[in-house]
Amino acid sequence: MKVLVVGNGGREHAIAWKLAQSDKINRIICVPGNGGTASLDKCQNMPMRIDDFEGIARFAAVQGVSLVIIGPEAPLAEGLADYLLAQNLPVFGPTQAGAQIESSKSWAKALMEDAGVPTAKGETFTDAEKAKTYIQKQGAPIVVKADGLASGKGVIVAQTPQEAKTAVDTLWDKGFRKIVVEEFLSGEEVSVFAIADGITFRTLLPAQDHKRIGEGDTGLNTGGMGAYAPAPIVTPELMAQIEEQIFRPIVSALKRKDIDYRGVLYAGLIVAPTGEPKVLEFNCRFGDPETQAILPLLETPLDRLLMACAQQKLADLPPLEWKAEKAVCIVAASAGYPEDYQKGKAIAGIPAAEELEALVFHAGTKKKSEGFATTGGRVLGVTALGEDFDGAIATSYQAIERIEFEGIYYRRDIANRVRPQSNPVPANPAPDTHNETEDVWAEKEEE
Ligand code: AMP
Ligand code: GLY
């Protein structure tokens, strides 16, 4: 069968790579894809914009694709799934109504309250002055969140009431007219993804992401500088608790709202020192780079899982099978990221990295006649598996050291958190900044 994958990041390369391993798949079309998907067996890039819903629908229909998998949040929030479903095209990814779980913090907060899911206490404001009065009353640290997709720049963790009030003004100036203010939660962050089909769900292995640009979790927030799975902090007991206290009630609450949610429910959790998990955020898609660490561990064919989800048959699927290994993914970024960076740098050493049996997932790359060039802030994700984390860390670093492009930058402490002998990385440090993710709507520039 043929499938179509929408997106152009490392996450989409990992999805396409995993799909390509299935005997049932004979063609994968990536819209628009990247240098990695352009070079993948069975895979072809289609240079279309991801906001060209009509073009995507027409192409998928003409090609007779059996499933459209939507990677990023922006087209989900804009209703690509609704558009395709209306034309009887099978889709993996929630409708616009379901995608509000990511695109509207206040909607997600209300849903969590309705479902009785543990989360930070907070309030939604449509009046900046009222938000500031509330902040003054609550004190700091406190968290201010824009309601709406903000390319990851909508969350400010403020250390003082003044900082929080300034954040309210800044968001207001940017045009946000709805703001969530919530209590600061401390603990360790972990990402757990559930595949939900509108009736039931299946959780994937838990992963941890490194969001800050600098070692020791310092500096600006990024889309994610590395990840590892399975995250040891999530014991089987904690996973059972997350399933029963978080995913099951959320799936039921979505159903009560008549939302037929078929796609990923990404729970960004904080695990308190007491061991209690609380939801920081929900996303409506796979995480990046967590996916590049999780999917290489999945033994079950990905198409079987995603098709079962799209057809609302997850209940009939046998238990998911996983490799008994550990996975570490290190992101190689362009110098300057998450702020300004240069593009068009020639990339060398990918085959040498692959000789070590590392998987090199492309994020911001383009295929050129003579090789690959950089096109984004996050350029590559290098994943290695190992019997234990020490092995996976060692191989992924040996592999990434073989890769070169002008200005290559990567953190040297990915997955250090799981090695007790290493310097502990402060959990959930007090940020001063914003998140930054690639603008998936922007056309990639041609050099
Ligand atoms: P979000 O987009 O809601 O996940 O927020 C981005 C980041 O801000 C999270 O990954 C956390 O590091 C931090 N954050 C968000 N909400 C809170 C909170 N209530 N308490 C502490 N940190 C938070
Ligand atoms: N890795 C964080 C995200 O995908 O949002």
Side-chain angles (χ1 to χ4, degrees):
M1 70 184 186
K2 278 188 203 172
V3 292
L4 190 151
V5 177
V6 176
N8 65 357
R11 164 183 54 209
E12 286 78 22
H13 185 191
I15 291 170
W17 165 83
K18 189 70 205 166
L19 289 168
Q21 290 174 359
S22 169
D23 300 340
K24 295 224 168 67
I25 302 273
N26 49 35
R27 189 109 89 105
I28 303 161
I29 301 151
C30 288
V31 175
N34 60 30
T37 56
S39 322
L40 196 60
D41 189 30
K42 305 185 193 176
C43 195
Q44 151 199 359
N45 282 355
M46 186 66 205
M48 234 187 294
R49 285 182 60 101
I50 61 175
D51 55 358
D52 179 5
F53 291 4
E54 197 192 327
I56 294 173
R58 207 175 327 117
F59 189 75
V62 169
Q63 292 288 322
V65 306
S66 301
L67 187 64
V68 179
I69 298 144
I70 305 172
E73 63 276 19
L76 291 165
E78 293 296 324
L80 177 57
D82 309 63
Y83 191 93
L84 299 172
L85 289 168
Q87 326 234 351
N88 290 321
L89 289 159
V91 179
F92 177 82
T95 57
Q96 189 168 34
Q100 288 179 93
I101 203 160
E102 175 163 4
S103 68
S104 169
K105 300 271 187 202
S106 61
W107 190 89
K109 209 82 194 157
L111 184 79
M112 283 188 254
E113 260 163 45
D114 180 35
V117 162
T119 181
K121 284 195 216 61
E123 291 216 14
T124 301
F125 296 93
T126 49
D127 178 320
E129 291 313 311
K130 285 193 179 144
K132 290 189 215 169
T133 309
Y134 177 80
I135 288 166
Q136 192 59 40
K137 209 166 98 205
Q138 296 297 315
I142 194 157
V143 183
V144 179
K145 300 185 173 185
D147 193 73
L149 291 186
S151 295
K153 291 182 190 170
V155 176
I156 300 98
V157 180
Q159 294 309 307
T160 62
Q162 189 49 50
E163 199 188 329
K165 290 187 221 169
T166 306
V168 170
D169 287 334
T170 308
L171 294 178
W172 217 257
D173 290 346
K174 284 187 185 164
F176 291 103
R177 290 293 173 266
K178 214 187 241 183
I179 283 169
V180 173
V181 182
E182 67 179 31
E183 72 174 314
F184 173 81
L185 299 175
S186 60
E188 205 171 316
E189 285 189 56
V190 62
S191 308
V192 181
F193 307 155
I195 308 296
D197 72 353
I199 297 175
T200 187
F201 66 93
R202 291 293 173 88
T203 48
L204 307 187
L205 292 181
Q208 274 178 300
D209 179 9
H210 296 258
K211 289 194 175 163
R212 303 302 197 89
I213 189 71
E215 280 146 28
D217 290 347
T218 53
L220 293 174
N221 262 330
T222 71
M225 294 303 294
Y228 54 94
I233 184 172
V234 184
T235 58
E237 293 73 31
L238 181 56
M239 186 57 111
Q241 192 181 344
I242 291 167
E243 290 181 352
E244 295 315 312
Q245 293 180 0
I246 294 169
F247 288 115
R248 201 170 301 286
I250 283 292
V251 168
S252 302
L254 287 165
K255 210 157 57 181
R256 279 200 299 279
K257 282 188 173 296
D258 280 331
I259 294 174
D260 186 0
Y261 195 107
R262 303 190 196 187
V264 180
L265 276 171
Y266 165 147
L269 304 170
I270 199 138
V271 181
T274 56
E276 193 201 357
K278 284 191 180 172
V279 178
L280 284 182
E281 61 165 345
F282 274 110
N283 293 322
C284 63
R285 48 156 180 100
F286 284 111
D288 187 335
E290 293 97 316
T291 302
Q292 294 90 302
I294 294 171
L295 291 186
L297 295 170
L298 182 67
E299 294 270 31
T300 303
L302 183 61
D303 58 302
R304 199 185 296 165
L305 173 62
L306 303 188
M307 280 304 265
C309 176
Q311 295 171 346
Q312 207 163 56
K313 288 186 177 156
L314 276 181
D316 302 335
L317 193 73
L320 296 181
E321 287 175 36
W322 298 97
K323 290 191 166 72
E325 285 177 279
K326 314 293 178 195
V328 171
C329 173
I330 307 162
V331 170
S334 303
Y337 173 78
E339 297 185 295
D340 289 345
Y341 53 83
Q342 293 186 341
K343 298 178 184 177
K345 307 295 182 193
I347 304 170
I350 293 177
E354 288 170 339
E355 274 170 23
L356 295 172
E357 293 190 10
L359 300 160
V360 180
F361 294 117
H362 294 230
T365 76
K366 187 162 96 171
K367 196 166 185 219
K368 305 278 237 186
S369 50
E370 68 283 15
F372 297 102
T374 67
T375 58
R378 289 192 293 172
V379 176
L380 300 167
V382 178
T383 299
L385 305 191
E387 270 177 37
D388 52 28
F389 275 112
D390 282 338
I393 292 168
T395 310
S396 53
Y397 275 103
Q398 282 159 18
I400 205 167
E401 276 157 19
R402 293 185 172 189
I403 292 176
E404 287 172 35
F405 56 85
E406 193 189 316
I408 185 171
Y409 167 78
Y410 50 89
R411 278 178 59 165
R412 310 269 164 178
D413 63 348
I414 300 303
N416 263 3
R417 243 181 248 153
V418 297
R419 306 161 99 186
Q421 72 276 25
S422 68
N423 290 332
V425 172
N428 192 28
D432 42 334
T433 53
H434 56 268
N435 276 336
E436 175 83 28
T437 51
E438 273 88 0
D439 178 4
V440 291
W441 291 105
E443 291 252 9
K444 292 284 180 207
E445 268 178 44
E446 300 285 322
E447 287 81 38

